[in-house]
Amino acid sequence: MFGFIKKTLSKVYTQVTSQLGGIFGKTTIYEKDLQELKEILLKADTGVKATQDIIAALTEQLESHEVTSGADLKDALAQQLEYILPSQQFDTGNVYMLVGINGSGKTTFAAKLAHQLQQQGKKILLVAADTFRAAAVQQLQEWGQRLNIEVVAGRENGDPAAVVYAGCEQFKSGDYDVLIIDTAGRLQTKINLMQELDKVKRVISKKLPEYKVNTLLTLDSMLGQNSFDQAKIFHEKIDIDGIVLTKMDGTGKGGILFAIASELKIPVYYISFGEAIEQLKLFDSHEYIQELLA
Ligand SMILES: Nc1nc2c(ncn2[C@@H]2O[C@H](COP(=O)(O)OP(=O)(O)OP(=O)(O)O)[C@@H](O)[C@H]2O)c(=O)[nH]1
Ligand SMILES: [Mg+2]
């Protein structure tokens, strides 16, 4: 469905694409154009490392006359971006644990993922392991009601590991296909809260040893460099399998994915782009890059 990403993430594309368009339209490319490209990449949150790697490679190609025109530059840039962010298939799996800072979009993503997998005929069980706030449990329960999906919840201020334990038991004893665990938002710098997540993860592995736990980190794409720092620490503490970039409808920058891929080597699994239940897409890097540069 070509153009899907472009239409739905129009803000990213109008800002980044219009700036790039000027350079790609040139008949001859000079060193100073690469400097301008560098500025654009940095402004789009591509990060220092990825940007430097890209510009170094393009400079070599300019010097060896592999790149002479704006059109050549566009192709060469696409190649570099695909090198940094290769297309990858991931195991969609059966057990998901969602983590991230407060308000990054975990609960909304839990509902969207549940809905998407439900559409594929899977039977889902949701676990509200956010026991800090009664409202958090309610939020997931409301989604559960709307989607007709069962939600396992504990009592307020209870031990999240205990709710997850109960969730795993129910998952094992029923005919469910997928278990999605929503956790409470936490700052990556709160050591005790990170240890709590580690404990939850261990409970799942112990209760469901035959399943791989997909630990997904939701990152608010509007936070730019800050979300990069979060990813780094979450990954160090609890091993993240994949990233869900949320609120892609709100950002005009599209480079953060390259910064994450180049420095953290964590794949992006999904992009979430709105508050409606169906606004979720499995990430396809080739499509994303092609449309970004189109
Ligand atoms: N525009 C937009 N809003 C989103 C998206 N995802 C989530 N939101 C909104 O962002 C706010 C926070 O989302 P939640 O899903 O509650 O975030 P959370 O990570 O569960 O938050 P805590 O449980 O408080 O840590 C809500 O108002 C959501 O409707 C998205 O992709 N786009
Ligand atoms: Mg939540």
Side-chain angles (χ1 to χ4, degrees):
M1 220 198 288
F2 195 72
F4 172 86
I5 295 193
K6 197 167 207 163
K7 260 184 265 157
T8 45
L9 306 181
S10 55
K11 219 169 152 189
V12 175
Y13 293 99
T14 16
Q15 280 196 24
V16 181
T17 310
S18 68
Q19 283 183 309
L20 291 173
I23 305 180
F24 296 156
K26 294 186 175 177
T27 5
T28 312
I29 292 294
Y30 300 98
E31 179 84 43
K32 68 169 174 37
D33 297 312
L34 294 188
Q35 285 312 308
E36 194 187 331
L37 177 62
K38 185 177 175 181
E39 296 305 316
I40 297 172
L41 292 175
L42 288 172
K43 262 201 289 183
D45 283 339
T46 312
V48 175
K49 184 179 183 298
T51 303
Q52 275 172 351
D53 290 349
I54 292 166
I55 298 298
L58 295 177
T59 305
E60 261 181 41
Q61 287 174 298
L62 185 69
E63 283 165 359
S64 66
H65 305 291
E66 262 172 89
V67 165
T68 58
S69 67
D72 296 341
L73 182 64
K74 183 173 164 178
D75 291 343
L77 176 61
Q79 220 176 37
Q80 289 304 319
L81 291 175
E82 293 210 21
Y83 177 70
I84 293 176
L85 197 65
S87 276
Q88 39 197 335
Q89 291 270 310
F90 69 91
D91 169 23
T92 38
N94 304 83
V95 177
Y96 293 88
M97 176 166 103
L98 314 180
V99 302
I101 68 157
N102 310 71
S104 55
K106 292 174 293 299
T107 306
T108 308
F109 172 70
K112 288 180 177 182
L113 179 65
H115 173 70
Q116 201 173 82
L117 296 174
Q118 192 182 38
Q119 301 277 87
Q120 295 166 14
K122 306 232 165 87
K123 188 174 173 196
I124 321 288
L125 181 63
L126 284 165
V127 178
D130 182 345
T131 51
F132 284 129
R133 297 178 296 122
V137 175
Q138 255 171 36
Q139 190 188 350
L140 199 65
Q141 279 169 333
E142 277 165 25
W143 277 117
Q145 268 163 19
R146 275 173 61 182
L147 300 171
N148 199 17
I149 291 176
E150 277 176 84
V151 178
V152 176
R155 54 188 169 81
E156 201 179 344
N157 294 319
D159 180 0
V163 185
V164 170
Y165 186 96
C168 291
E169 290 268 284
Q170 183 162 338
F171 178 70
K172 269 198 337 194
S173 63
D175 59 342
Y176 304 98
D177 303 298
V178 177
L179 179 68
I180 301 174
I181 298 164
D182 183 26
T183 66
R186 67 201 70 217
L187 271 179
Q188 71 277 14
T189 46
K190 294 269 166 46
I191 292 168
N192 57 330
L193 295 181
M194 296 308 278
Q195 282 168 345
E196 182 187 271
L197 277 185
D198 195 43
K199 181 175 161 195
V200 166
K201 209 171 162 171
R202 276 186 279 123
V203 167
I204 309 168
S205 310
K206 211 161 160 188
K207 291 296 291 176
L208 306 171
E210 63 276 43
Y211 292 96
K212 178 190 178 307
V213 184
N214 267 307
T215 307
L216 301 188
L217 173 69
T218 51
L219 285 181
D220 179 340
S221 53
M222 292 195 284
L223 296 181
Q225 184 63 33
N226 191 304
S227 53
F228 177 77
D229 299 340
Q230 287 165 30
K232 204 168 165 172
I233 298 177
F234 266 98
H235 193 42
E236 274 166 20
K237 300 290 180 210
I238 58 157
D239 262 340
I240 301 299
D241 297 293
I243 284 171
V244 179
L245 266 178
T246 64
K247 310 187 193 181
M248 284 290 280
D249 50 313
T251 178
K253 302 171 171 193
I256 189 74
L257 288 92
F258 303 104
I260 291 166
S262 102
E263 291 191 48
L264 301 178
K265 313 269 184 255
I266 310 174
V268 177
Y269 277 24
Y270 286 96
I271 49 178
S272 169
F273 49 90
E275 295 184 75
I277 191 81
E278 66 283 351
Q279 288 176 316
L280 177 72
K281 195 177 187 301
L282 266 174
F283 180 66
D284 177 335
S285 76
H286 179 73
E287 183 185 24
Y288 183 77
I289 292 165
Q290 288 305 314
E291 292 193 22
L292 194 61
L293 304 186

